[in-house]
Amino acid sequence: MKKFKKFYIEITSVCNLACTFCPQTGRKANFIKVDAFTNILDQIQGHAEYIYFHVKGEPLLHPKIDQLLDISHEKGFKVNITSNGTLLHKNKEKLLTKPALRQMNFSLHSFDGHEGSENKEGYVGMVLAFVKEALEKTNIIFSLRLWNLNEDNATNVERSRNREILEMIEQEFNLDYKIEEQFERGSGVKIADRVYINMDHEFQWPSLHADEIEGPGFCHGLRNQAGILVDGTVIPCCLDGEGVINLGNVNQTSFSEIIESERANNLVDGFSRREVVEELCRKCGYRQRFSI
């Protein structure tokens, strides 16, 4: 049985923000139903231990996220949530009491990425207050993300737009150093027990409209990760936000059968030979991160 280190389950395709770094999906607005979610967990038993409520959409928008966390715990899964953090005030009690919740990743770059954002201090303060309360009451791990660097400020973060947010974090956690001084791209800065700062270049979603990237390539798609969109579509990785590489649907075919299909095996075998089989993969810059 194939096992995946990361397994993405999109519980909604809807987001409350419109960030410049995250193209709006062309798929139908949807929220996963409890029975469909339960069916997915039953199908991926043995394939994964950790599940991520993430592909597109804002998971804290799901009105039954507390139930989804309870079901995850009953089925033996640990959950990681990636969120923009703007809805924490409405969901705090739904999150702090859930033993399934292993990690929360907050995309703090969402504030600058969303046109019309107001009250940065209030936004960051709300996220940090939640983090500090959760540290006292739970074992949740936190990643505070600033994925908005460019080539000009990647090596001189002092001049980046993140200084204001980093200063708030430094004050809240009583740090006696500037976070940038500890920063190395590709690794997080641990600022407290179970709290990390992660900074990286602005994320680029792959698109069929982009130019192809020449040369051989490798990726961990369907090797150590897989995903299922809110409508049941199986995808090879979390970057296929539109379901371009549609491997099948768990509402019609079992997940185990889908990942052993000809198309799925061709993708994995191709990467084993450093050959990029799928068109979307040939246009995805993320595979350039892996040595060939």
PDB file of all heavy atoms in Angstrom, residues 9 20 178 220 235:
ATOM      1  N   ILE A   9      -6.504  17.418   1.895  1.00  0.00           N
ATOM      2  CA  ILE A   9      -7.942  17.311   1.685  1.00  0.00           C
ATOM      3  C   ILE A   9      -8.511  18.725   1.686  1.00  0.00           C
ATOM      4  O   ILE A   9      -8.464  19.425   2.702  1.00  0.00           O
ATOM      5  CB  ILE A   9      -8.633  16.466   2.768  1.00  0.00           C
ATOM      6  CG1 ILE A   9      -8.061  15.042   2.786  1.00  0.00           C
ATOM      7  CG2 ILE A   9     -10.142  16.414   2.514  1.00  0.00           C
ATOM      8  CD1 ILE A   9      -8.633  14.163   3.883  1.00  0.00           C
ATOM      9  N   THR A  20      -3.202  38.452  -4.133  1.00  0.00           N
ATOM     10  CA  THR A  20      -2.557  38.536  -5.440  1.00  0.00           C
ATOM     11  C   THR A  20      -1.725  37.305  -5.750  1.00  0.00           C
ATOM     12  O   THR A  20      -1.549  36.941  -6.914  1.00  0.00           O
ATOM     13  CB  THR A  20      -1.643  39.775  -5.495  1.00  0.00           C
ATOM     14  OG1 THR A  20      -0.706  39.711  -4.398  1.00  0.00           O
ATOM     15  CG2 THR A  20      -2.452  41.051  -5.369  1.00  0.00           C
ATOM     16  N   LYS A 178      16.709  40.376  16.214  1.00  0.00           N
ATOM     17  CA  LYS A 178      15.849  40.529  15.051  1.00  0.00           C
ATOM     18  C   LYS A 178      15.762  39.184  14.332  1.00  0.00           C
ATOM     19  O   LYS A 178      16.785  38.539  14.093  1.00  0.00           O
ATOM     20  CB  LYS A 178      16.389  41.614  14.109  1.00  0.00           C
ATOM     21  CG  LYS A 178      16.220  43.021  14.661  1.00  0.00           C
ATOM     22  CD  LYS A 178      16.598  44.061  13.619  1.00  0.00           C
ATOM     23  CE  LYS A 178      16.308  45.464  14.140  1.00  0.00           C
ATOM     24  NZ  LYS A 178      16.645  46.504  13.122  1.00  0.00           N
ATOM     25  N   HIS A 220       7.956  15.203  -5.926  1.00  0.00           N
ATOM     26  CA  HIS A 220       7.450  14.227  -4.958  1.00  0.00           C
ATOM     27  C   HIS A 220       5.956  13.973  -5.101  1.00  0.00           C
ATOM     28  O   HIS A 220       5.369  13.260  -4.282  1.00  0.00           O
ATOM     29  CB  HIS A 220       7.761  14.706  -3.536  1.00  0.00           C
ATOM     30  CG  HIS A 220       9.224  14.709  -3.215  1.00  0.00           C
ATOM     31  ND1 HIS A 220       9.942  13.551  -3.038  1.00  0.00           N
ATOM     32  CD2 HIS A 220      10.102  15.727  -3.043  1.00  0.00           C
ATOM     33  CE1 HIS A 220      11.202  13.851  -2.762  1.00  0.00           C
ATOM     34  NE2 HIS A 220      11.328  15.161  -2.766  1.00  0.00           N
ATOM     35  N   ILE A 235      -5.784  14.487  -6.952  1.00  0.00           N
ATOM     36  CA  ILE A 235      -4.698  15.203  -7.625  1.00  0.00           C
ATOM     37  C   ILE A 235      -3.361  14.712  -7.066  1.00  0.00           C
ATOM     38  O   ILE A 235      -3.294  14.207  -5.946  1.00  0.00           O
ATOM     39  CB  ILE A 235      -4.831  16.733  -7.446  1.00  0.00           C
ATOM     40  CG1 ILE A 235      -4.956  17.093  -5.957  1.00  0.00           C
ATOM     41  CG2 ILE A 235      -6.021  17.256  -8.240  1.00  0.00           C
ATOM     42  CD1 ILE A 235      -5.003  18.589  -5.673  1.00  0.00           C
TER      43      ILE A 235
END
